[in-house]
Amino acid sequence: MRIGVLTGGGDCPGLNAVIRAVVRKGVGVYGHEFVGYRDGWRGPLDGLTMELGVAQVRGILPRGGTILGSSRTNPFAVEGGVEQIRFNLHAAGIDALIAVGGEDTLGVATRLSELGVNVVGVPKTIDNDLNATDYTFGFDTAVNIAMEAIDRLHTTAESHHRALIVEVMGRHAGWIALHSGLAGGANVILIPEVRFSIERVCAYVESRFQSQYAPILVVSEGAQPEEGEMVTLEKGVDAFGHVRLGGIGEWLAGQIEHRTGKEARTTVLGHIQRGGTPTAFDRVLATRFGLHAIDAVQHGKWGSMVALQGAQIVTVPLSAATEKLKTVPPELYAEAEVFFG
Ligand code: F6P
């Protein structure tokens, strides 16, 4: 078979490990040929390809980012986009596509598959909010980066008797904040799933100062106060209609200073969480996803996605990944609340 591979949406550590595993097993075990599509759905849409064989995947296992490039291109938002993709796939002699992505990229894959394109999906996002898989690769790396930042902030917060806020990624799900906050011993964790009371947050800050320690607060970019809306950067929306978030950390610092009289500063981790080399966990998970994705192609499991369930890699319908978001359940958040204040 001649198989196209693409990576779409926000990049994350482990994408190259998937590409490598797909190609190594696809060529070595099944004798397939590959075409690399550049920059997510823009590749098949505009016929942007690159050579993709064993030589191109050598040495990429520990490298962050994606050798194929990525974008948030939505072919369904482009006039005649789907027809153009079909035409380009046919012209390039492509029998099947492996799409590695999050909710948006896999949403497109689901719709294309319903229209008869042979697609297999691989879930990825640092946010860990895709349904039907216990974990996505990239998440563990992001959590470790955020945890290290929190560890470092503890000491400077204590030296200066300041409240330090760490703003982490997570649009609609607070997995990164929850795990990094728990691992780093944060005194407050704020997530999009649970609206927070600014009075209670300030009470936690004050009680932490009373015990002679300086508070560390971890906040997801999508967290919202009980009264008010998500804080967004006024920079418009992307092709999937997402606004750019950011600014909740600064807002919190202002409120804390105003209400408690204590100094507060914010660190926004931003894309540092998405860059660089993947952890061992993410390399292994991404490699296993790649191996099982090429098996799914070999067995003609069109419209499916590989997923981690327990310790097993399974295939689930692509639509299961995107039908709802996997958010932090209240009982897990309650576990973390024991350490607040
Ligand atoms: O979807 C993954 C993610 O990292 C989100 O956590 C974040 O809101 C978004 O991407 C940022 O997107 P961009 O890199 O396009 O600004």
Side-chain angles (χ1 to χ4, degrees), residues 90-102:
H90 183 72
I94 299 295
D95 302 300
L97 265 184
I98 294 180
V100 190

Side-chain angles (χ1 to χ4, degrees), residues 10 72 125-127 169-171 221 238 244-245 271 274:
R72 294 194 187 275
T125 165
I126 63 163
D127 294 353
M169 281 187 170
R171 248 190 245 275
E221 60 186 348
D238 67 20
R244 274 182 65 186
L245 300 181
H271 292 84
R274 292 219 312 241

Side-chain angles (χ1 to χ4, degrees), residues 285-304:
L285 180 59
T287 297
R288 294 185 71 206
F289 275 168
L291 296 174
H292 285 258
I294 195 64
D295 288 346
V297 167
Q298 178 68 17
H299 298 118
K301 290 189 177 175
W302 313 127
S304 71

Side-chain angles (χ1 to χ4, degrees), residues 42-262:
R42 191 185 296 146
L45 190 64
D46 294 342
L48 301 175
T49 60
M50 64 174 261
E51 213 179 318
L52 186 62
V54 172
Q56 284 71 36
V57 301
R58 283 215 196 287
I60 66 170
L61 174 64
R63 268 177 61 190
T66 160
I67 59 165
L68 297 175
S70 193
S71 75
R72 294 194 187 275
T73 305
N74 180 1
F76 286 93
V78 175
E79 176 97 27
V82 175
E83 292 69 34
Q84 216 170 302
I85 286 186
R86 278 180 187 283
F87 176 83
N88 286 334
L89 292 180
H90 183 72
I94 299 295
D95 302 300
L97 265 184
I98 294 180
V100 190
E103 61 172 310
D104 298 327
T105 305
L106 296 181
V108 171
T110 307
R111 290 173 72 183
L112 285 178
S113 150
E114 286 160 3
L115 295 171
V117 179
N118 294 339
V119 193
V120 165
V122 177
K124 71 84 234 187
T125 165
I126 63 163
D127 294 353
N128 197 39
D129 58 359
L130 275 176
N131 195 38
T133 184
D134 291 351
Y135 287 101
T136 47
F137 63 86
F139 171 65
D140 186 64
T141 307
V143 167
N144 274 285
I145 292 166
M147 180 193 72
E148 196 194 328
I150 295 166
D151 286 349
R152 288 174 185 279
L153 290 170
H154 272 296
T155 59
T156 172
E158 278 162 25
S159 305
H160 290 269
H161 318 291
R162 284 173 176 155
L164 291 184
I165 298 150
V166 190
E167 184 182 306
V168 297
M169 281 187 170
R171 248 190 245 275
H172 306 294
W175 293 107
I176 297 177
L178 182 76
H179 280 231
S180 64
L182 265 177
N187 311 108
V188 178
I189 301 171
L190 304 175
I191 61 175
E193 291 87 339
V194 183
R195 284 192 177 238
F196 63 87
S197 144
I198 188 64
E199 283 86 21
R200 197 165 326 126
V201 168
C202 289
Y204 287 141
V205 165
E206 288 188 314
S207 85
R208 184 70 181 171
F209 275 123
Q210 272 155 23
S211 62
Q212 304 306 317
Y213 286 103
I216 303 287
L217 300 88
V218 180
V219 57
S220 299
E221 60 186 348
Q224 295 176 64
E226 273 169 0
E227 277 158 26
E229 290 305 316
M230 249 184 209
V231 181
T232 59
L233 300 172
E234 303 293 323
K235 297 269 171 67
V237 294
D238 67 20
F240 288 92
H242 302 301
V243 290
R244 274 182 65 186
L245 300 181
I248 185 70
E250 271 308 321
W251 181 86
L252 264 176
Q255 291 291 319
I256 289 170
E257 290 202 340
H258 174 70
R259 289 167 187 255
T260 69
K262 301 284 186 193

